[in-house]
Amino acid sequence: MNKMANKFSNLKRELFLVRRLLEEGYGPRYWWSYVKNRFLWRMFLPWVPKFDYQADPDLELHTICNKKDLWMLVWMLRSFLTLSKLRPVIVITDDGTLDKATEKLIQSKFSNVKIMFKDETTKRIMAMPDVPEIIKKARRECHFFLDKLINPVVFSKAKKIIITDTDILFYKFPTEVVDFINGKTNYDALVQRQGKGEAEFDLMMDDFYMEKYKLKESNVSFMNGGYLMIDKEKVGMDQLTEFLSHTRRPLSDYFIEMAGWACILGQSNFAFLPPERYAIKGFLNNEMVMKHYTSPRRYEMFAYGIDKIPCFYTMTQ
């Protein structure tokens, strides 16, 4: 029954993306790219060469990945590594679908990759005496996205951390990101801002917590949790424990990870990345350094986004 429900859900999603593609006027010249990047990518993945480099142990890039999204993961990483010239340790949180064969495949495409398998890291957390019980409870009961917050807080030893979704692509040198990582700004954190017209995100925290950190005044509820970077010294288990103690959001909620990062960032000296350069909405233009192809716009990533990455053409020449 569950398999049938999943198949039906996947079919509905595919039909939604195709319908949006056609409604937005993406005609025949986009169709091959869409089919290639959405359905045929497994044929082309073996041709992608390994991105090999010596990693900076003080910098980690964290993401969470589904087995079906490897093509997006590959191009998110390749576009960022190529254009930024930064060399992070890549830490991929398993959403419950990854296996050892997938780990081997990813490591054949990138050096310096660590896969944090859900079952293995959960067992490690349960055995750590210094981890508060509320974090252990959250790990057992949470939506898997919260692992993208728990894992960096509990395990990371890096000085700077980048947190990114897989549906993000880079097209130009990300000056703001590189300056932050290299200590050329006075901020504790940088985060992507919701596009114009987007609704404010409901943090769903109790009144005591909201007032303590003046979160309404900070405007952190306008953040998009898909891309952020933070000074690791500003993030610890105390902040995570306090968030979990005051949230009104169920641990199983899809947005609990985003709420957690927002509340932690709201306690720091953070800044928003320029939304016109680190964009969500709008067709790719010359001003955009990065585009975040969120779920309602995912068809754009397949129709043109991947094929327009500068390193895509370099690799295929």
Side-chain angles (χ1 to χ4, degrees), residues 52-315:
D52 204 359
Y53 62 91
Q54 184 173 350
D56 176 0
D58 290 330
L59 174 62
E60 290 181 356
L61 182 150
H62 285 251
T63 190
I64 191 166
C65 189
N66 185 282
K67 192 175 183 178
K68 296 186 294 185
D69 294 335
L70 292 184
W71 193 239
M72 294 198 303
L73 172 73
V74 164
W75 291 108
M76 178 274 288
L77 290 173
R78 288 192 72 92
S79 65
F80 176 72
L81 294 171
T82 300
L83 291 167
S84 72
K85 309 299 182 186
L86 294 173
R87 296 295 179 256
V89 176
I90 299 167
V91 184
I92 300 174
T93 291
D94 164 35
D95 72 342
T97 65
L98 303 186
D99 52 30
K100 293 298 182 181
T102 308
E103 176 183 41
K104 186 176 180 180
L105 176 58
I106 296 171
Q107 290 175 339
S108 74
K109 301 303 175 184
F110 299 94
S111 56
N112 308 294
V113 171
K114 297 179 181 178
I115 307 292
M116 303 202 78
F117 289 103
K118 187 173 183 66
D119 289 344
E120 294 176 4
T121 50
T122 299
K123 288 178 182 177
R124 288 173 61 190
I125 289 172
M126 296 304 136
M128 296 170 72
D130 58 329
V131 174
E133 184 56 37
I134 195 169
I135 295 179
K136 293 180 178 181
K137 180 178 186 293
R139 186 52 182 255
R140 290 191 301 266
E141 301 176 11
C142 71
H143 189 283
F144 62 81
F145 268 139
L146 187 59
D147 296 349
K148 190 158 66 90
L149 169 56
I150 292 176
N151 281 351
V153 170
V154 174
F155 295 112
S156 178
K157 304 299 183 185
K159 293 180 179 178
K160 297 286 177 67
I161 301 174
I162 297 171
I163 310 291
T164 178
D165 286 347
T166 56
D167 55 355
I168 284 173
L169 298 173
F170 283 82
Y171 298 93
K172 291 184 177 181
F173 180 74
T175 304
E176 294 84 355
V177 175
V178 174
D179 283 351
F180 176 82
I181 298 302
N182 290 333
K184 294 182 179 180
T185 74
N186 295 320
Y187 297 112
D188 299 327
L190 293 179
V191 62
Q192 187 178 34
R193 186 183 178 113
Q194 297 276 32
K196 291 181 179 179
E198 293 283 349
E200 187 176 0
F201 178 62
D202 186 355
L203 298 176
M204 291 183 66
M205 302 302 291
D206 65 30
D207 293 340
F208 172 81
Y209 190 96
M210 293 291 292
E211 179 61 27
K212 179 179 179 180
Y213 294 112
K214 308 296 182 185
L215 293 181
K216 287 184 179 179
E217 293 83 351
S218 73
N219 288 326
V220 75
S221 55
F222 287 101
M223 69 168 272
N224 182 288
Y227 196 77
L228 61 94
M229 62 216 74
I230 195 160
D231 183 339
K232 180 56 171 61
E233 289 187 357
K234 306 300 180 180
V235 181
M237 282 192 279
D238 289 345
Q239 288 94 332
L240 178 55
T241 298
E242 188 178 22
F243 163 72
L244 292 170
S245 300
H246 292 275
T247 183
R248 292 173 173 168
R249 196 178 294 271
L251 292 171
S252 58
D253 190 280
Y254 179 88
F255 291 107
I256 191 164
E257 174 255 352
M258 182 164 151
W261 278 118
C263 290
I264 289 171
L265 291 181
Q267 303 172 39
S268 70
N269 176 29
F270 80 94
F272 287 116
L273 290 161
E276 67 279 0
R277 286 169 56 78
Y278 298 81
I280 297 175
K281 288 187 173 182
F283 191 85
L284 183 66
N285 60 54
N286 289 332
E287 197 173 4
M288 293 179 186
V289 169
M290 178 196 94
K291 185 162 167 59
H292 188 174
Y293 296 90
T294 53
S295 294
R297 304 167 187 87
R298 190 68 46 77
Y299 58 91
E300 295 182 345
M301 188 179 201
F302 305 130
Y304 71 84
I306 291 173
D307 289 8
K308 286 184 176 293
I309 300 169
C311 62
F312 179 87
Y313 294 104
T314 301
M315 191 202 73

Side-chain angles (χ1 to χ4, degrees), residues 18-26:
V18 170
R19 178 169 59 83
R20 293 289 295 134
L21 180 76
L22 298 176
E23 286 176 348
E24 293 299 316
Y26 291 95

